[in-house]
Amino acid sequence: MAERGARLLFFFASLIVLRFGGADKGSGIRGFTPFRFSVEPVDTLAVRGLPAVLNCSAASNALVRVEWKKDGTFLNLVADDRKRQLADGSLLISTVVHSKHNKPDEGVYQCVATIDNLGTISSRTARLTVAGTKTKPLRFINCVLSLLYEI
Ligand SMILES: *[C@@H]1O[C@H](CO)[C@@H](O)[C@H](O)[C@H]1NC(C)=O
C-alpha cells in the first residue's frame, strides 16, 4: 500500500512539474514582444489632385502607436485635413497638392512606431515625388482641336 501511495504521489508530482514547466515556457513565449515593421513605406510617385498612400505597419502583440515624419519633422495630422492615418498605420494623403510655388506633400517620409515602456523604431525613409501632370499637353491638344473646329 505504501509503495502504491508513493507511486501515486510521484505521478501527481510529475504532473504538477509538467504543468508548471509547460506554463512557464508558454508565458515565456507570450512575454516576449517581437517589435518590427511588417510593412515599410517605399518611394512613391504620386499624381497631383489624386490620393496617395504611404504604407506602414508594425507587427507586435502589444499596443503600437504609429506616427509619421516628413523631412525629419513629426507631422501634426490633427491640423492637416488632407492627411490621415489608416488603422494599420499607413498614411493617406486624400488629395496631393502640387503647384509651382506650393509643394507641401513632396518630400521624404518616415514611419515611427512606439510601444510605451518598450521603445521606438523608425522605418526606412521613402520619397514621395509628384509626377508632372498632363494638363499642359491636354491644354495644347484642346487648343489644336478648337482651332481645327474653327477651320
Ligand atoms: C499599400 O497597401 C495596400 C493594401 O495592402 C496595397 O494595395 C498597396 O499596393 C500598397 N501600396 C504600396 C505603394 O506598397
Side-chain angles (χ1 to χ4, degrees), residues 15-65:
L15 269 186
I16 286 166
V17 167
L18 278 178
R19 261 198 72 117
F20 276 76
D24 269 344
K25 264 191 217 156
S27 66
I29 288 164
R30 263 178 270 124
F32 174 67
T33 306
F35 186 27
R36 60 180 182 81
F37 286 104
S38 51
V39 179
E40 295 191 58
V42 294
D43 289 353
T44 300
L45 187 63
V47 179
R48 190 179 83 182
L50 293 183
V53 178
L54 289 159
N55 284 336
C56 179
S57 194
S60 174
N61 48 13
L63 191 67
V64 182
R65 185 174 69 249

Side-chain angles (χ1 to χ4, degrees), residues 116-130:
D116 286 334
N117 304 321
L118 183 67
T120 294
I121 52 174
S122 295
S123 76
R124 55 152 294 176
T125 56
R127 179 174 290 279
L128 185 93
T129 308
V130 182

